[in-house]
Amino acid sequence: MFDEEIAAHGPRLYALCLRLCRNRWDADDLYQDTWYKALRAYKKYDSSRPFAAWLTTICVNTYRDQYRRKKWREWLHLDDAALERVAAPPDDPHAAVRQAVDALPEPLRLAVTLYYFAGCDVAQTAQALGVAEGTVKSRLARARAKLKGVLQDDGG
């Protein structure tokens, strides 16, 4: 039963984990933690709602928890040596966009990642982030404005 969900949603979830974490090691941990939490909470899942949205919410909340812990470790200088970042292929025409998105403030980056890279609509993004739909729309508008400025400055 749960194996079918993993087969159906696993690739999309892992792609989301990579976009959120920006390195394979943290993405692997987030992916495993998300499935573990989903399995533990599966009895609470409301089958009238889309499974992908429920799973995305678990993933984003797990990421936020890990991100907070990681920020504290970095602030306290307890961080291990920097992990190698997932690099885009040298011929990737979207490398500049990916770098610009990665440089956005966290709330804007999460909204952009869910909406544009994970394929969530505004309602699903709002649910996953635990904010109002209007907040998602304003974050996306602010992110687009920042990205436009950055990418125009770079000549792209």
Side-chain angles (χ1 to χ4, degrees), residues 101-117:
V101 169
D102 288 347
L104 288 172
E106 193 67 13
L108 302 182
R109 189 175 71 80
L110 284 173
V112 167
T113 299
L114 292 172
Y115 187 77
Y116 290 107
F117 293 103

Side-chain angles (χ1 to χ4, degrees), residues 82-97:
L83 295 174
E84 181 180 323
R85 296 282 183 207
V86 175
D91 58 345
D92 182 3
H94 305 291
V97 174

